[in-house]
Each structure stands twice: as structure tokens, then as C-alpha cells.
Amino acid sequence: MSAELIVGPDTLQLRGRLDAGGAAAIWAQARSAVTAGCVVDASGVDYCDGAGSALLFDLIQRGARVDGLPERYAALLADLNPDKPLTVQSPKPHGIADELADFGKAVTSEFTLTMAFIGVFTADIARIFTARGKIRWRNGFAVASSAGADALPIIALVAFLFGVILSFQSAVPMRQFGAELFVADLVGLSLVRELAPLMTAILLAGRTGAAFAAELGTMKVNEEINALVTLGLDPFRFLVIPRLLAVALIMPMLTVCAEVIGLAGMALVMASFDVPLATSLHRATAIVGFSDFFGGLGKSMVFGFFIAAIGCLRGLRTGAGAAAVGESTTRAVVSSIVMLVVVDGLFAVMFYILGW
Amino acid sequence: MSIAINAISKRFGDFVALDNLQLDIASGELLALLGPSGCGKTTLLRIIAGLETPDQGQILFHGEDATDTHVRERQVGFVFQHYALFRHMTVFENVAFGLRVRPKKTRPSETEIKRKVHELLSLVQLDWLADRYPAQLSGGQRQRIALARALAVEPKVLLLDEPFGALDTKVRKELRRWLRRLHDEMHITSVFVTHDQEEALEVADRVVVMNKGKIEQIGTPEQVYDAPATPFVYQFLGDVNLFHSRVHDGWAEVGAARFAAEAGDSDKAVVYVRPHEIELSRVATDKAIAGVISHSRLLGATVRLEVDVKDAEVVEVELTRERYQEGGWQVGEPVWLNPREARVYPAA
């Protein structure tokens, strides 16, 4: 059934289906027949869609009045009211003040959450020292072995490379002054004080920090963390503390390994410059003092602690969905490295003031 | 243990998840929270568990205020929709976990733990899977292990968040029946969340129908199905046809059919009719609605017809297969619809 138009004096009668086909068929005729003030009787319409409403709207625009349109189609026509905007106005573009406010809010909430994390952590650490036996050493050892022993090959490789590159690059110009012997001093000091702790920390941030974030993040997404809580466990004490302690303990050990291997690389290069092994190693050990060595180790312990804390924090604060795990892993690595730079700077200032 | 929920409200930003809820859960009953997604049912369950804190209101466990009690002390067993089993532990270790991590004073001995875990695993009929890892199990098996894990700590309340939501229809039906039997054996106060009305009606002692953070109706499955309190409940508990009409002299009129209405005169009203409560006939009666059959679809034991009716959207009619064949209905044939049952609600 299609649409039908019956033209009478000052009235137009519409019947049938006002769909795209029906409306198009009678549109031209209706347009020419319509006069201002004429009445369109639409009571015979038994279907009307957007095309039909457009026809009726066109007739109204030309001065006609529509009567008797079935109620359920009237709503469609009412939407075509020129006084009523068809599109929802898009929200006002953000001004710089709003942007600043959003940024401020984000920073504040981040700050409060991090502070809360540190607070809970400190309280729990204090509890460990007062009431013993609460900490899960078994978990800690598992973490220590995967974060420490398993990381040794890559750390050894990079440390060796550091030792070789550093000594070779400095040996070539220093040789012109006949000072290649001092390469041992240079490499020894910079490895022990700065490079070994920092390099180990960066590798650990990429390896272990990211792994913690992914591990805890997956647990969070799968509601395993909630399951732990309903079984009466504190996820902080059960998951976070063992990881923090394990990494804080393993970091100095890895750093010592990195130092030894780096120095070995240096000795190898020096040997190729005809400096005997015993001489270069003796120079290096003579120049590195007690404070250099333990300063570096203390620093690496702090680095390890922060890397684990950031990894766990990011993991526990993972949102919903698998994509969120990837996001928190990335954020864990990035914030760990930023943290390393800041903390290392603070250590430099501190050591300078202390005269170490 | 009985639970009382007293004027609980919860918002997430501007979104009102729960709006001043009032609910009493009797000791030992199996209660279903039923509603569409986003209606706040899971939030309510998590508040009962203590995984979320309400903005306002109180939760009483056995008459005692538990609003500020930590999850760890509430002694609830929680079963998650996606099982949340510990992936790096065997099935045995998963179930034993809740007992193993207890402080030394209350921790049972190793033999006691072993006995208890095997007892629970045979209760969920999966004793033979004790040494497998969760990844090696099917969805239905995992969910039963998750239930065993929740029961291991002897919870006072068992909370299940869409426990069968991620399973296929057949397994879901089996587990439903099994859950009901388990509850009849153990009589532990249980609350489960579902969006599947069939599940709620089949398993629960009482059903709480929720919508947009509010409770629409609380009642036994018969009560909510037979006497829905609101149009929402009527619509949510099964398929439904709508007729828009106006009320004249206490009657809502649809075509020639008239339905008793409580609304005032000339108020708009909506008439709800379930598809299986419509009779088809070829003879015009004074109370029938005229229409034309436009589609027929075979759904196993039943046949669903679509009938075009003037002044209404398509009306669905459900017939048993025998009735359909006896009647010899054809697509394109004009028919009269005779609603046996209908409900009239004032239009919103």
C-alpha cells in the first residue's frame, strides 16, 4: 500500500503509508496544491517515518495545519520544530583555567594516593618489627630468586659492556698523555659510585618493576586480590611487603656483581693497552674508598625499594580490563626511571654536603 | 546469620548506584538480586561483603552493626563471576589456601586441612581434580572450585556475584540445580546476583528486583511473577507486549478489547500482555483486537507469531507447536487476538 493524496477545497487528505517511496510520490502534487491556512487531514495515515514527517513539515512551512495525525507519529513531527535545536550543543571547549584545574586535581589525587600507600607501608613495616612471624618469607624468597638470580645474566652482560666501553673510550685520548694507567681510577670510581647502582636499577625497573605491576595488575583485574581479602588476608602484607624487602635486599648484591664484572671488563681492555692485570685492579681498588663502596650500595638499596614500591603501587591501582594491565606496566617503568633520576640527584647533593 | 540493610546509599561521582535501600535477609535463606546491568545489584553485594563502603546507611549482621567491620573480619564467602582462582596454585592449594593462611592459633593441622579440602572437593564433585591447575579446568569446574574455596573458611554468609554468568546455557542450568541442592543441604545464608530472570525464579527463595539503584519489588518467585508491583518488574520477568491506550470509565480500551484500569478518566495507560497469554481466533468477538499475521518463527517446542495490529507496534504471540498446527495459521492471514490476562499500568 502506498500513499494517496486527495485534494479538496482548502483541505488535503493524506492516506496510506508515508514512507520514503510514498511521500516522494505525492510530494510535488501536495506542494502545488497546498495554500496558506489549508487543513491537512492526516487521520488516514497508517504509517509515517522520517520521510513522511519531512513532507508534513514542508506543508506546515507553507502555511498548512496538520490534523488528525496518529499520536505515535506526532512525536516524530514534533521533533521537527524549528524552534527546537536538533543537535545537542557540544560542551564548551576547555579553557586553560579548566585544564589547569584538571591537572591540579590529578596531581592532588595522585599525591594523596601515594601518601596513603607510603603511610600503610610504614605502618606495616613497623608492625613487622614489633610482631614477628607475620611476613611471608617463602614468597619473598621466590621473588628474590626471580628478580635476582634470574636477572644476573643480563646484568652481567650490560656491566661487562659498560666496563669495556668506558675504559676503551677514555683510554684512547688519555694514552696521548701517557696517562692510560689512570683509566682504572676513572672507571673504578664511576662504576662503584654511580654507574653500577644506576644501571642495575634501570634494568631492574624494566624487568622486575614491570613484572610486579603486571602480576599484581592481572590479579587485580581477575579479582584475585578481592578473593584474598575475602579469605581474610591483607594483600599489602601478603603481596607487597615480601616483594619490597626481597628487591631491597637483592639490589645491593646485584650491584656488587655488576661492579666486579664491569671492573673485569675494564681490566681486559687495559691488558690490551699493555697494562698488567694486577696493576689496573690494584689502582682501581686503591682509589675506591669505603664510603664510595657503601654509599653506592646504600643508594642501590634505596633504588630497589622504590622500584618495587612503584611496581606494586601501579599494579594494585590497575583499573578494569586487560588493557589497564599494559597501561600500569608502562607507567611503572616510566615513573621508576623518573624516580631514579630524582633520587640519584638527591643522593649526589647529600654526598656532596657530607663530603663523601 | 541474618543481614539487615538499612538506608544504604552509594554514588560513584554523579552516578547514583544505590538510592536509600532497605532490605532484610533472613537467616538461612537463598536470596536473588535481579536486575539489568548497571542497576546496582553488584554494588549492593560488594557492600554486603565489605569490598565497597556505603556513603550512607548501615549494615547489620545478626543485629550487630557491621558497617565499619573490615572484609577480613566479616566472615563472608565470596564467589566471583570470573572465578578469581589463584592461577599458580593447584585446585587443592586453592581450596586449602583460606585455611593455610590463618594465624597459627586458629590454623587447623595439616591432616585436618587435607581432610577438610577433600570433603569440600567431593561436595562439589571434583575430588579427582585436586592436583590440576585452574587453567586445565572448564568454566563450570572452575566455578565449583571457587565455591569450594569460599566454603572452606566456613563463612557465615555466602555471596555470589553472577556465579554462572560466564558459562554456557546447559552448564548454567545444571549448576543452578546443583546450587539449590547444596543450599538445601548447608542452609547458609546466601545472596546471589543475576541478570537472568529464569535463574532467579528457579533457584531463589526470594527475589529482589532492582532497577536504577532502587528496589522495585521483593517477594517469592511466584509473587514477583504473578503479581508484579511495577511495569518494570512485569517487563523484566519475561517477554511482554505493550498497548498504549486511554482510560474511559475505568476501562482501558485497545481496539475493541477493554481492560479494567485503576487510572482516572482519560489518563493515558499502558496495557501489558504476555505473548503466551494471547488466544488467536478467526472469528471476531466483541473483546478482541484485529491484526494480520506477519511472521512465524519456530523456537523448538513453541512457535512465535508476529501480528501487525493497528495503533500498536508488532504484537508477539506464543503458541505451543500443537496448537499452531491444529489452528493451521498462515502468514498474511487476518486474525483476532484475545488476551486472557493483562495488566494495566498508568503511563509514565
Side-chain angles (χ1 to χ4, degrees), chain A residues 43 45-46 70-72 136 215 218-219 222-235 238, chain B residues 46 51 70-72 76 78 80 82 84-88 97-98 101 149 153 161 246 268 310-312:
Chain A
S43 56
V45 172
D46 48 32
E71 207 171 296
R72 59 186 182 280
R136 314 227 146 232
E215 230 174 307
T218 316
M219 287 186 84
N222 289 342
E223 303 225 59
E224 280 177 58
I225 304 239
N226 278 334
L228 279 178
V229 175
T230 53
L231 287 174
L233 271 185
D234 182 353
F238 187 74
Chain B
R46 293 172 76 96
L51 293 170
H70 196 275
V71 201
R72 295 199 291 273
V76 297
F78 203 105
F80 296 88
H82 296 289
L85 292 174
F86 304 123
R87 279 157 301 148
H88 56 285
F97 186 79
V101 298
R149 183 180 67 179
V153 291
D161 182 9
R246 268 179 201 284
K268 283 187 191 171
K310 197 171 145 55
D311 282 340

Side-chain angles (χ1 to χ4, degrees), chain B residues 65-96:
Chain B
D65 188 357
T67 319
D68 296 323
T69 313
H70 196 275
V71 201
R72 295 199 291 273
E73 281 117 45
R74 286 199 192 188
Q75 292 183 288
V76 297
F78 203 105
V79 176
F80 296 88
Q81 182 178 3
H82 296 289
Y83 331 121
L85 292 174
F86 304 123
R87 279 157 301 148
H88 56 285
M89 294 183 193
T90 62
V91 163
F92 181 92
E93 289 300 321
N94 260 290
V95 179

Side-chain angles (χ1 to χ4, degrees), chain B residues 60 70 108 117 143 194 330 340:
Chain B
L60 306 177
H70 196 275
V117 172
Q143 197 55 293
T194 178
Q330 301 290 330
R340 264 177 288 147

Side-chain angles (χ1 to χ4, degrees), chain A residues 148-173:
Chain A
D150 298 352
L152 204 53
I154 180 75
I155 284 176
L157 182 72
V158 178
F160 183 75
L161 203 69
F162 256 64
V164 169
I165 293 174
L166 206 59
S167 44
F168 191 80
Q169 290 300 329
S170 43
V172 172

Side-chain angles (χ1 to χ4, degrees), chain B residues 61-194:
Chain B
F61 275 24
H62 211 84
E64 276 172 44
D65 188 357
T67 319
D68 296 323
T69 313
H70 196 275
V71 201
R72 295 199 291 273
E73 281 117 45
R74 286 199 192 188
Q75 292 183 288
V76 297
F78 203 105
V79 176
F80 296 88
Q81 182 178 3
H82 296 289
Y83 331 121
L85 292 174
F86 304 123
R87 279 157 301 148
H88 56 285
M89 294 183 193
T90 62
V91 163
F92 181 92
E93 289 300 321
N94 260 290
V95 179
F97 186 79
L99 300 171
R100 289 251 161 91
V101 298
R102 283 199 184 160
K104 263 209 181 91
K105 270 177 271 168
T106 56
R107 192 190 307 159
S109 69
E110 196 55 34
T111 46
E112 177 67 13
I113 290 179
K114 223 173 229 167
R115 190 191 60 75
K116 181 121 201 230
V117 172
H118 281 295
E119 192 184 295
L120 279 164
L121 285 177
S122 42
L123 182 73
V124 300
Q125 299 156 357
L126 290 176
D127 208 8
W128 52 287
L129 289 176
D131 297 326
R132 302 265 189 98
Y133 283 88
Q136 298 168 303
L137 307 185
S138 73
Q141 289 169 339
R142 280 186 223 180
Q143 197 55 293
R144 284 193 274 171
I145 298 298
L147 193 57
R149 183 180 67 179
L151 290 172
V153 291
E154 290 172 3
K156 301 227 166 89
V157 181
L158 185 62
L159 305 171
L160 306 106
D161 182 9
E162 307 226 4
F164 313 133
L167 304 171
D168 63 70
T169 325
K170 204 153 182 249
V171 177
R172 204 188 300 178
K173 275 198 174 147
E174 232 168 76
L175 279 190
R176 254 188 234 162
R177 248 164 261 151
W178 175 81
L179 176 68
R180 182 66 238 186
R181 276 204 307 277
L182 192 77
H183 183 263
D184 290 340
E185 272 171 42
M186 307 191 59
H187 283 297
I188 173 169
T189 310
S190 310
V191 182
F192 81 100
V193 158
T194 178

Side-chain angles (χ1 to χ4, degrees), chain A residues 122-202:
Chain A
T122 320
D124 267 28
I125 289 277
R127 228 174 296 151
I128 286 168
F129 286 116
T130 50
R132 290 184 330 126
K134 289 257 175 115
I135 168 166
R136 314 227 146 232
W137 289 109
R138 212 152 55 115
N139 292 11
F141 287 133
V143 173
S145 115
S146 75
D150 298 352
L152 204 53
I154 180 75
I155 284 176
L157 182 72
V158 178
F160 183 75
L161 203 69
F162 256 64
V164 169
I165 293 174
L166 206 59
S167 44
F168 191 80
Q169 290 300 329
S170 43
V172 172
M174 278 166 96
R175 192 182 198 183
Q176 296 174 352
F177 305 99
E180 61 260 49
L181 200 58
F182 294 100
V183 169
D185 299 36
L186 188 152
V187 176
L189 264 188
S190 46
L191 264 185
V192 171
R193 288 184 66 118
E194 283 293 342
L195 290 178
L198 207 58
M199 177 209 71
T200 317
I202 289 175

Side-chain angles (χ1 to χ4, degrees), chain B residues 255-310:
Chain B
R258 303 201 310 163
F259 306 97
E262 279 167 26
D265 241 17
S266 83
D267 280 351
K268 283 187 191 171
V270 186
V271 181
Y272 289 79
V273 184
R274 295 213 186 275
H276 63 269
E277 290 175 342
I278 298 179
E279 300 273 1
L280 285 184
S281 115
R282 290 205 171 83
V283 194
T285 51
D286 55 344
K287 275 188 173 179
I289 305 161
V292 178
I293 301 179
S294 63
H295 276 290
S296 78
R297 236 175 302 148
L298 184 65
L299 307 169
T302 59
V303 177
R304 186 170 297 163
L305 300 178
E306 287 182 8
V307 179
D308 278 340
V309 170
K310 197 171 145 55

